[in-house]
Amino acid sequence: GMRGADERILALSYPWIGSARTAIANRQVHPQNHLIWAHVSKILLYYVMYEACQAAWSVVLYAKSIPEALPVWIYGLAMILEYFSMVFVRSAMSAHFFPRISLLYFLAYHLYFYSVPY
């Protein structure tokens, strides 16, 4: 293979990771595992914050009688859409339409949810 292609591809695909890894490798002040543990810690912190927001907003948005796992499925779908957009939405057209279509589906579901009494 090409020498250094992995680092260049990582830097182009995910600049916040690739640029940091390149800077750490060039300066040789910290080992690479510090960056990895920092990202793992950040992911765990964001997950805890996500779960706390999910619990708080579920009480506000879904106060009526609902199936127990419904908020988990809704927030899980939102998380999947977020990861999908981060990985696969690359072109200008998809970046223009994907958020709008996702929002329309989300709003349509909630309009249905609040209009049906049960």
Side-chain angles (χ1 to χ4, degrees):
M2 296 180 350
R3 179 177 222 106
D6 292 338
E7 291 296 324
R8 286 194 308 268
I9 291 170
L10 182 66
L12 288 172
S13 299
Y14 304 102
W16 60 92
I17 296 174
S19 300
R21 281 190 54 170
T22 303
I24 288 172
N26 290 341
R27 292 183 188 148
Q28 297 179 348
V29 175
H30 300 288
Q32 292 284 333
N33 66 353
H34 284 192
L35 177 69
I36 293 168
W37 283 111
H39 278 286
V40 168
S41 300
K42 187 169 83 170
I43 288 170
L44 288 173
L45 176 67
Y46 283 168
Y47 178 74
V48 169
M49 290 169 47
Y50 175 81
E51 288 294 325
C53 286
Q54 176 181 340
W57 282 105
S58 293
V59 172
V60 174
L61 292 176
Y62 308 113
K64 70 180 191 175
S65 176
I66 59 169
E68 185 177 343
L70 181 67
V72 174
W73 281 101
I74 291 171
Y75 288 115
L77 177 64
M79 190 171 60
I80 289 170
L81 289 174
E82 181 181 343
Y83 286 132
F84 180 85
S85 70
M86 188 172 67
V87 174
F88 294 111
V89 175
R90 298 290 181 160
S91 70
M93 187 166 38
S94 63
H96 179 76
F97 286 110
F98 182 75
R100 289 169 171 80
I101 291 172
S102 299
L103 178 66
L104 282 176
Y105 278 128
F106 188 73
L107 290 176
Y109 171 76
H110 280 84
L111 287 173
Y112 165 76
F113 178 79
Y114 287 114
S115 65
V116 174
Y118 63 93

